[in-house]
Each structure stands twice: as structure tokens, then as C-alpha cells.
Amino acid sequence: MQLRLRKHWSRLACAAAVVGAMGAGAPQALADVIKIGAPLALTGGLADEGKKQKIAYDMWLERVNAAGGIKVGDTMMPVELVVYDYQTDGKRAGQLTEKLITSDKVNFITAPFGSGHTKIAAGVAERYGVPIMASVASSESVYDQGFQNLFGTLAPNTGLTDNMLKLFKAKMPDTKTVAVLGREDVFPNAMAKALVEGAPNFGYSVVYDQRYSVGTLDHSATLSAIKAANADWIYVTGYTQDLILLRKQMADLGLTAKIVTMITGPAYKEFVDALGPLADGVNSASWWHHATTYQSSDVFGSTKAFYDAFVAREGSDPDYVHASSAAALVALQAAIENAGSIDPDKVRAALRDVSITTFYGPIDFGANGMNGGRDLPIIQVQDGTVVVLFPEAIKQAELKAF
Amino acid sequence: MSAFIGGKNLGLTIVLGVVAVLIALPFIGDNYLVRLATFLCLFSALALGWNFIGGYAGYPSFATAAFYGLGAYVGALLQNAGTPMPLAWLGAGLGCAIFAAALGPTLLRLKGHYFAVGSIAIVEIMRLLASIFADFTGGGMGLNVPILRGGPDFAGMVFLYAMLAVAAAAFLTTLAVDRGRLGFGLRCIQQNEDAANMLGVDVNAYKTAAFVLSAIFCGLAGAIYASWVAYIDPTDVFSILLTLKVPVMVLLGGAGGAYGPLVGVVAFMAMEELIWSNFLELHHGVLGVIIVILVFFLPGGLLKLRWPQILGRFRAGGDAKSEAKAAAE
């Protein structure tokens, strides 16, 4: 029996060796292709967001490769996107980032959705010195670790809240109190904190300030407490599913106020679709809106061209996730062209110097790798459609009371 | 031990061979393989840790992620306070041991389903505590851990060896427990706790000892994980999925021995890498199906199957097929 077993094991070992050799041989494909690795959440809790990133990357990729690729020095190099699904599992995000760098030998990486997973992927990329483009991580805490390779296209959170405070005070001077409820998670928490810290500077007093934990399904106790606080303005942060739930439970309890903000609910089409009439009057800030009118020399050409191309392709409106994801690759492309090389050190240096206007808006990475602030749009759902309240240049409607 | 591992020496030889390959891996394999191997050691440590309470004592514990997460947080906080990395890991192991020793005497009075529910509640409570005490733990913002300098190859090697050391320590402890008084007492508890109590086994002390051993290895693994990824947050380390995966791994291999958990970890991870990539949308469903199959068809795990007969039949079947094919041609 021993002998038989040994024979079996040796067969297994042979099979393993063959598989291993195939694995090692396959990735050494063409050397004159620029490879960009994308660990994406295509399944699991963040699947909707991960798929949005994928659409944006594909749109960019089609245009770049249709033009022959990216101009590197005197040659045009086509681009290949290597996508893996990390199943919304942080451990897997790190693992696949390492696989992309070591097995697939990608030149650059794009970060997954959200601040937390971006940070895990960025930790791996930092070890290897591979530039990583973060398109959907806006919390400054992601950029505070001194990473040299992390570049984000969203602007800092605090820019979102100050404009909002200023606008609402100007339009509705009789609002004085605000109740803040935030999800205990990187981005929503940062947004809640930013408002609490900014409110006194604009004449608002915070009468309620609490966090709810990830996965909370019953908000009735918190919402009753907010009702008791009787605030003029209710400001809630969370991800789309939380906000839909919260809005429905607010309606059940008859909780209302002059202003209701849900960060960043109305920025997502899913929020408006799922809530229907309940979404009316809810406002939010966003990093981008398709009503902006930037002209650019990138593969998309202008905000309108991007919008039209997106609607033609997907049959729905793009949101900031789409735009920021495509813009991250536009910025990377500009840096590669400026560097005239795909050497990670040269591209990293070029990314630091990038200062361009894209279809998405200006991109200029600061010392921590984050895109500089600018006037970010404030939006509100009015009669089932999302309209822009601010900035003045692209304003579509006035703020309506909730 | 089992019918398949024909004698303990063969099992031990295979384990030593795998350990030798793992030690050599940073020099011969690429970093992705090193990372996979580190996960292999991580889950081996967790599975062997769970085996003390779940396998030997027969208590269906789902507290693995509670210890793992606690270890990650204690290790990370100690490191942020300036403790050298290896000392922070040991501190995390110690912290988890104290936590389990304090918790064990009360929690382990529950039995069966009640214990399972109680232990899973510990994970949820720990996750909420880590979220709420934001000033201390960083809350939902997560916690940065100083990143290990020295490049990816060096970091890969350090964390692989550290995880391997924890897994090896868990394995050696298991061997010692298996052959010693503690293992005997725990098996008695598993078979009939009341009878064991009557016969003079101090059941509470034995169960708590198993719980503490389980906590130490999970805590050490968690602390090393925290240093490895350099960033942790409550949902990542206090993960329900992790707490479910580990018992499934052990049951897949065979609970209540030193080799079963290791076989289960290897089999599970191989499935995950090879098959699960083909079931993108369904991978959680596939996990559920595996659990059901385990309960119905493999109550003793892979190691308890009568492998010689199965292989013999498989071989006979294969030969018959090829002969038939040859005849047809």
C-alpha cells in the first residue's frame, strides 16, 4: 500500500509541477504593452460600485487603444487591463494586488472602491513601488500614511461640507440647528465629522451627533432621538443601501426637517430609483456632476462628450464614480506621456507634476497624493430628477425646502 | 490516527516535508506564492487553534474571529505605542489568553447550540466595541500599523516565517495535548461531559484551558496579519466569514487530531483557488453546499474516509474504462 501511495503522490507532484510551470510561463507575454492591474469588487457587497469602475476603465481603454495606445517617447504602446474580482474581501484585495504585481507583472495599479480597501491595496503597491491610482477614496486618512505611490482623483471631504454650509445659510437664514447621523466607516464618518467641525463657523449649532455601526438595519431608536432634537436640518451619511433604509424609516416615523441631506445618496442613480417620491427634496454634495462643462484634450474631449458616450453605451446617467475612475486613468496616461517612459520612478515623478484639465475637472495631485480642492457641486432631487444648486456657473435650480 | 495516514510517521514526514518547502519558498518562489503560503500558515494556525476547543472538547466555537481580531488590535495598538514588532505579537497572544481565561468559565457553561450562538455573539460584540471606541481603536476609520521597511521580498519572508512559526507551535502543542492528560480529559468531555465530571475530570478547568490555547494561536495569527497588511478595520478582522471558514476547514479534514485540520486547510484553500474562481457569483453558495455535504456525507472529514478502498476502486474503474476504450479501438 505504501508503494501504491507513493506512486500516486508522485503523479500528483508531476501534475502540480506542470500546472506551476504553465502559471509561471503564461504572463511573460508582449513586452511592449502597458499593463494596468485592476482589483475590483465585481461580487459581494460593493459589486455595484466595482462594476461602475469597470465600465469607466473599459470606456477609457477602448478609446486609448483605438488611437493606437499611449504615446511613450516615440512609440505608441497599447494598453492591457488585467482585472480580478476580489469579492469585496479586504484580504483578497491585498492578495490580488500582489498577484497583479508579481505574477502578471503589471506596470500600474488602480485601487478598489472605497477608502478601506484602497488602503489595503495601496499598502501592497507601496512595498513594490508601483504607482496606484485611487479613483474612489476621498478620506484624507487614506493619504496620511506617507505613501509615495498613491494618487487619488477625488478632492478632500472637507471641501464638500463648507460649500454646503455656506449655501444653505445664505438661502435659508432661519435654519439654525443641525442633527448629524453618520455610518461608522471611513468615508461616512469623515463626512459627519467635517460637518460637525464646520457647522459653528457658519452659525449652525449641532444638536445631535451620533454614529451607527456598519450593518445596522433598525434605525428607529436613533431616528426617534433625532425627532426629539427637533433640528432644522438633518444631515445623514452612509452608503446607498443605508441611506435608502434610513429614508424609508424616516418616513415611517414621520421625521422631517427644513433641509434633509444624505451624503452621497442623490449622487447615485440607484438611490433616486429605489426611493421614488421619497427621494424628493433630499440633497447632497458630490464630487462631480454631468452638468459641469469642462473642455479637455484627453480621450473624451469634454464633459458633454463623456456624458453622451456614456448614455449611448449604458442607457443611464453616469455618476461621480464613473467619471472619477475614468479620470484616474486619464491622469495616468498624461503622466506616462509626460515621462516618456513606463518606468515606475519616472511616472511617479510625472504624476506629482500633473496639472491638467480633464472632462472630469482639474487634476493636480497635492503633496499627499490627493487631488486639489475645487468648488464641488451640491445637488438636490426635485420632482424625481437630480438638479445642481451650486456652483453658480452650472446652477440648474434653487434650493427647495424639504 | 486514521486509516489513510498509515502510521504517524508518514504523517509527520509529510508535514516536515511541507515545512521544508515553505522555508525554502522565499528563495525559489515568487512573492504571490509566498503570500499564498503565508495564508496557508495563517489558516493552519487558526484551524489548529479551533481544533482544541472544537475538535477535542467538541464545543462548536465560532469565537475564532473574536480572538483573531482582538489579537490584531492589541498587536497594532502595541506597535503604534512603540513596542517592537515581535514583542507586540507576543503581547497580543498574551492579551487573547487573558481574555479567553476570563471569558471561558462563563461562556463554556453554555452547551451545544447555545454555546455556538454565544460564541458568535462575542465576535459581533467585539466588532461593535472596536467601532465605538473610535478614539482608541480608530473606529470605522481603521487603524494604521507601521509598514515594515526592507522591500517586498524581505517583508514576505518575515511574515511567512512568523506565520509558519505560529502554525508550527500550534501543531507541536496539538501533538503534546493529543498524547497528554489534557487531550484525554477533553476527549472524555466530548463524549460525555457529565460522566467525565463524575469520574473526576475538572471539566471547567479543562474546557477553559482548551479555550485559552485556541485563543493564543488565533491572537498571534491576528497580530501578525495586522503588521503584514499595515491597516486593519473592524469589519475586516472581526469577520463572520472567517469565523465560519475555520471550522469548515477543520471538519473538512477531520476534527480532533493533529493532521485533520492541516489536511482540511490545504483542501479548502486548493478549492478556493481553483474552483471558486469559476463560481464568481455563487462562491458563498458553494461554501454553504460544502457545509451541507460535510454534515451529511463526511461527518469524520477527509481523513476518516477509507482511502485505500476508494483509491483501489477508482483505479480499478479507470483501468476498466481504458481497457474498454482500447478494446473499442
Side-chain angles (χ1 to χ4, degrees):
Chain A
M1 190 206 109
Q2 285 265 352
L3 233 167
R4 252 196 192 178
L5 268 179
R6 284 223 182 103
K7 217 168 147 192
H8 193 73
W9 281 118
S10 66
R11 274 191 199 171
L12 267 180
C14 284
V18 169
V19 170
M22 277 163 64
Q28 317 281 351
L30 294 163
D32 53 353
V33 172
I34 301 175
K35 281 188 169 190
I36 301 176
L40 290 175
L42 297 177
T43 57
L46 292 175
D48 290 347
E49 283 78 8
K51 282 172 187 153
K52 286 183 186 175
Q53 287 177 282
K54 176 97 172 44
I55 292 169
Y57 295 161
D58 286 344
M59 282 178 70
W60 174 82
L61 191 70
E62 284 159 13
R63 281 166 179 72
V64 167
N65 282 340
I70 297 180
K71 192 166 182 296
V72 183
D74 299 328
T75 52
M76 296 295 279
M77 291 175 77
V79 182
E80 186 191 336
L81 195 67
V82 187
V83 177
Y84 287 123
D85 174 26
Y86 76 93
Q87 303 166 354
T88 319
D89 174 3
K91 288 187 185 60
R92 213 156 248 281
Q95 187 180 344
L96 290 174
T97 307
E98 186 139 25
K99 183 179 168 64
L100 284 164
I101 296 171
T102 59
S103 305
D104 298 303
K105 311 253 188 280
V106 298
N107 306 96
F108 309 101
I109 297 269
T110 62
F113 182 89
S115 298
H117 292 161
T118 293
K119 204 152 181 176
I120 292 175
V124 177
E126 184 70 16
R127 284 212 171 103
Y128 288 91
V130 175
I132 176 165
M133 306 301 299
S135 51
V136 215
S138 64
S139 308
E140 274 161 281
S141 72
V142 176
Y143 302 87
D144 66 358
Q145 224 168 343
F147 287 172
Q148 296 301 308
N149 293 283
L150 179 61
F151 297 91
T153 43
L154 294 185
N157 296 323
T158 41
L160 289 176
T161 49
D162 281 359
N163 281 341
M164 191 171 244
L165 284 157
K166 201 189 299 174
L167 177 77
F168 293 172
K169 197 69 191 177
K171 300 285 177 196
M172 291 191 183
D174 55 330
T175 54
K176 290 185 174 63
T177 53
V178 55
V180 178
L181 176 64
R183 170 174 152 128
E184 184 61 62
D185 201 342
V186 183
F187 163 71
N189 193 1
M191 288 302 291
K193 265 191 186 156
L195 191 93
V196 170
E197 281 161 16
N201 304 336
F202 295 88
Y204 282 102
S205 65
V206 179
V207 290
Y208 182 90
D209 178 21
Q210 289 294 324
R211 304 288 172 269
Y212 61 93
S213 57
V214 177
T216 306
L217 294 177
D218 181 5
H219 296 278
S220 52
T222 355
L223 293 176
S224 300
I226 292 177
K227 197 171 184 183
N230 198 21
D232 299 325
W233 176 11
I234 296 171
Y235 176 96
V236 182
T237 73
Y239 290 117
T240 308
Q241 296 305 326
D242 302 314
L243 297 175
I244 291 173
L245 197 63
L246 273 158
R247 180 66 194 94
K248 283 183 175 161
Q249 295 185 3
M250 276 173 71
D252 292 345
L253 287 171
L255 173 60
T256 183
K258 286 176 189 148
I259 307 175
V260 173
T261 303
M262 295 195 145
I263 304 285
T264 51
Y268 291 89
K269 197 177 161 298
E270 297 85 342
F271 177 85
V272 184
D273 289 350
L275 283 173
L278 279 181
D280 252 5
V282 175
N283 65 61
S284 175
S286 182
W287 287 271
W288 182 83
H289 190 272
H290 56 74
T292 50
T293 52
Y294 293 106
Q295 296 291 328
S296 61
S297 56
D298 55 52
V299 289
F300 294 106
S302 69
T303 311
K304 188 170 184 317
F306 174 79
Y307 175 75
D308 291 343
F310 188 92
V311 172
R313 183 188 164 106
E314 296 296 321
S316 61
D317 287 350
D319 62 34
Y320 78 89
V321 177
H322 298 115
S324 180
S325 300
L329 292 177
V330 167
L332 178 64
Q333 179 183 5
I336 294 172
E337 284 169 356
N338 290 346
S341 161
I342 56 167
D343 177 70
D345 295 329
K346 286 183 184 153
V347 174
R348 190 185 312 118
L351 276 165
R352 295 227 165 281
D353 295 336
V354 160
S355 179
I356 50 171
T357 299
T358 68
F359 77 94
Y360 159 83
I363 293 183
D364 187 353
F365 299 112
N368 63 356
M370 220 175 172
N371 196 6
R374 60 174 190 277
D375 278 344
L376 299 164
I378 295 171
I379 53 179
Q380 185 175 33
V381 186
Q382 294 185 357
D383 302 322
T385 48
V386 176
V387 293
V388 181
L389 309 177
F390 179 87
E392 284 295 324
I394 55 167
K395 187 164 99 174
Q396 295 171 323
E398 286 293 339
L399 174 69
K400 267 191 194 169
F402 182 72
Chain B
M1 179 84 302
S2 87
F4 177 53
I5 304 293
K8 280 172 187 161
N9 288 335
L10 179 60
L12 207 55
T13 315
I14 292 174
V15 169
L16 286 177
V18 172
V19 169
V21 170
L22 289 179
I23 290 175
L25 201 61
F27 304 101
I28 54 174
D30 67 12
N31 286 352
Y32 178 63
L33 271 181
V34 170
R35 179 174 277 259
L36 266 187
T38 312
F39 271 115
L40 190 76
C41 295
L42 166 67
F43 280 110
S44 298
L46 295 180
L48 286 164
W50 183 86
N51 195 33
F52 290 115
I53 186 73
Y56 284 102
Y59 269 66
S61 167
F62 290 107
T64 306
F67 300 134
Y68 175 80
L70 181 68
Y73 267 96
V74 172
L77 290 169
L78 283 175
Q79 255 193 283
N80 284 344
T83 317
M85 195 167 71
L87 283 182
W89 294 345
L90 293 178
L94 185 68
C96 286
I98 295 170
F99 176 71
L103 189 68
T106 46
L107 189 66
L108 288 162
R109 281 178 203 280
L110 299 173
K111 290 195 179 97
H113 305 107
Y114 301 102
F115 176 76
V117 172
S119 63
I120 212 164
I122 303 290
V123 180
E124 277 299 283
I125 291 168
M126 297 295 286
R127 184 175 70 77
L128 290 177
L129 286 178
S131 300
I132 291 166
F133 291 114
D135 295 337
F136 188 50
T137 61
M141 305 288 276
L143 196 58
N144 288 338
V145 186
I147 195 163
L148 183 69
R149 298 287 162 202
D153 299 336
F154 175 70
M157 191 165 77
V158 167
F159 293 116
L160 173 61
Y161 287 168
M163 282 296 186
L164 182 60
V166 175
F171 180 70
L172 294 176
T173 311
T174 305
L175 287 184
V177 167
D178 192 74
R179 288 163 197 186
R181 198 182 163 84
L182 180 59
F184 185 77
L186 291 174
R187 279 195 205 101
C188 291
I189 292 171
Q190 187 203 3
Q191 280 164 19
N192 189 330
E193 189 169 339
D194 294 331
N197 198 9
M198 294 277 284
L199 290 172
V201 177
D202 186 349
V203 289
N204 279 332
Y206 273 61
K207 285 187 295 186
T208 306
F211 205 47
V212 169
L213 281 176
S214 167
I216 290 175
F217 295 112
C218 295
L220 284 171
I224 296 171
Y225 173 78
S227 304
W228 186 27
V229 298
Y231 170 79
I232 51 173
D233 71 43
T235 42
D236 182 28
V237 294
F238 295 109
S239 145
I240 294 291
L241 194 61
L242 177 91
T243 227
L244 291 176
K245 252 187 193 180
V246 171
V248 171
M249 286 172 169
V250 179
L251 295 176
L252 185 64
Y259 297 102
L262 297 178
V263 171
V265 168
V266 173
F268 190 92
M269 286 191 66
M271 277 199 301
E272 207 173 33
E273 285 300 311
L274 296 175
I275 302 173
W276 285 22
S277 50
N278 300 321
F279 290 99
L280 276 188
E281 304 284 340
L282 292 171
H283 58 271
H284 284 162
V286 173
L287 179 66
V289 171
I290 291 173
I291 295 173
V292 171
I293 290 175
L294 275 177
V295 170
F296 280 107
F297 301 108
L298 274 178
L302 287 173
L303 274 188
K304 295 279 161 68
L305 287 176
R306 295 181 169 184
W307 281 100
Q309 269 128 317
I310 292 172
L311 286 178
R313 198 182 300 165
F314 177 69
R315 185 155 301 174
D319 288 349
K321 263 188 208 154
S322 53
E323 273 162 28
K325 205 178 168 192
E329 280 167 1

